[in-house]
Amino acid sequence: MAKIAVLGYGTVGSGVVEVINTNYDSIAKRATDVVEVKSVLDLRDFPGDPIQEKIVHDIDLIINDPEIDVVVEVMGGVEPAFTFVKRALEAGKSVCTSNKALVAAHGSELLAMAKDRNLNFMFEASVGGGIPIIRPLNQSLTADEITQITGILNGTTNYILTKMSRKGSSYDEVLKEAQELGYAERNPEADVEGFDACRKIAILTSLAFGSTVKFEEITTEGITKISTEDFKYAEQLGCVVKLLATSRKIDNKVYAITAPFMIDASHPLYNVNDVLNGIYINGNVIGDVMFFGAGAGKLPTASAVVADVVDCVKHKGKNVMTIWSSEKLELGATDDVKRDFFVRVKGNDASKVKELFGNVPIITVPDIKGEFGFVTGFMTEKAFNEAAKELNVINRIRLDHTKL
């Protein structure tokens, strides 16, 4: 029998227990051993819940328990999660986590610790919730050189942008609705400012290219400046607005960004709506691959965590995770990337725009007065920023032309 401990009995932690109880027999068959939750660490008690008899309040009771083979960390945040995970690995226990903040900050170090001890540190659920993406990058796509990863990696922002597009509602209105439905936190900053998606693309980029990407160095913009007017222009262009987290290899340099983009119907992520996530990968051999599904939620995320538990049990005493070097990957400068931009400008005189950007098409929306829009040609971010200084810009949104 393989006994596990769960650190944190919140949404995902309770989901892990539920998945193991619900699929007890099939999990045992796939793990080639019975998997049982022995201990659950939480500050709280849960009177009336059957889990109460397994609740402990002291991490030492788990670390020092020789019967526990695998520790599941679903507490969130970097500390005390990092300390607890390090101690578990030092005590000879494999670790599975859904904690993207922990993985983004310390993934390479924890992978190295696990490898040195013939253990595993697994984190399938840290990106994309229930969508299998870490395992494919680690196992299925290892014959390829990855050239691009582009994803809608945050369900909260995707829900907000979808509703703004369909209903014509304002950002503030839809955010309030998302909070009432439980899709957005009371303090939604990590989601709406792009930090959550940024951490996830840092993890995927580190895995794909084998060296550590510091999420703090990825250019990151949120969705708080996106307005109903932007969506009206997008409609004129046959586009929608999505928060994309993307990394690309161009001329042996990796460039990464998390920001709102306009995409048209030919884009693989165009129809990824509401709280769903989608991830597009291009490899030099396999070509285009798409992953799509529930990017968050109690049971989808818990399912991915338990899949990692099964892998740890099945490969006890053998390290199967990829090498993710602690060597830092130097990202290319965002200023050097070429793309085109949608721009909204105050006023009605387009002569300055034509002078700066050439004979670009001017876009107007009948019920929006005192401004107009245009789409630039293909140019570097630096060149655009220099030229845009001479205009009274209301907003600008990058375009992404990825096609399957």
Side-chain angles (χ1 to χ4, degrees), residues 160-171 173-174 227-229 231-232 235:
I160 291 170
L161 293 174
T162 300
K163 294 301 178 186
M164 288 178 70
S165 177
R166 289 175 175 170
K167 290 184 171 182
S169 305
S170 71
Y171 167 79
E173 288 171 335
V174 182
S227 67
T228 53
E229 287 80 10
F231 280 99
K232 290 178 180 179
E235 187 177 2

Side-chain angles (χ1 to χ4, degrees), residues 246-262:
T246 181
S247 61
R248 302 181 191 219
K249 193 172 188 179
I250 305 170
D251 297 331
N252 292 316
K253 196 80 173 175
V254 177
Y255 299 85
I257 188 171
T258 300
F261 282 81
M262 280 190 182

Side-chain angles (χ1 to χ4, degrees), residues 215-391:
F215 67 89
E216 303 96 334
E217 296 179 5
I218 295 176
T219 298
T220 303
E221 296 176 14
I223 65 167
T224 56
K225 294 178 181 176
I226 302 298
S227 67
T228 53
E229 287 80 10
D230 292 318
F231 280 99
K232 290 178 180 179
Y233 282 103
E235 187 177 2
Q236 292 273 79
L237 292 166
C239 292
V240 293
V241 181
K242 299 288 187 183
L243 182 73
L244 300 185
T246 181
S247 61
R248 302 181 191 219
K249 193 172 188 179
I250 305 170
D251 297 331
N252 292 316
K253 196 80 173 175
V254 177
Y255 299 85
I257 188 171
T258 300
F261 282 81
M262 280 190 182
I263 59 176
D264 66 20
S266 67
H267 196 287
L269 299 174
Y270 180 85
N271 288 312
V272 179
N273 292 314
D274 297 311
V275 294
L276 294 173
N277 282 194
I279 304 164
Y280 160 89
I281 293 178
N282 178 269
N284 70 331
V285 177
I286 197 171
D288 302 317
V289 184
M290 269 287 291
F291 300 84
F292 171 78
K298 176 178 177 176
L299 294 181
T301 305
S303 172
V305 173
V306 176
D308 280 349
V309 171
V310 169
D311 249 7
C312 287
V313 172
K314 193 162 58 173
H315 297 101
K316 185 176 179 180
K318 180 183 178 183
N319 177 268
V320 296
M321 276 301 286
T322 191
I323 295 173
W324 165 356
S325 168
S326 60
E327 182 182 345
K328 184 181 168 190
L329 179 64
E330 293 291 343
L331 294 173
T334 300
D335 268 359
D336 296 337
V337 178
K338 284 188 173 181
R339 59 176 104 249
D340 40 14
F341 305 81
F342 164 74
V343 191
R344 287 169 55 205
V345 180
K346 279 188 179 178
N348 297 302
D349 183 1
S351 58
K352 191 66 175 176
V353 166
K354 301 279 188 180
E355 178 187 327
L356 292 166
F357 294 95
N359 192 30
V360 294
I362 302 302
I363 306 153
T364 58
V365 177
D367 61 344
I368 300 179
K369 307 299 182 187
E371 64 172 81
F372 62 93
F374 68 97
V375 175
T376 71
F378 212 53
M379 62 195 307
T380 65
E381 295 242 358
K382 182 177 182 179
F384 169 77
N385 291 332
E386 285 297 318
K389 287 178 183 176
E390 298 191 43
L391 298 175

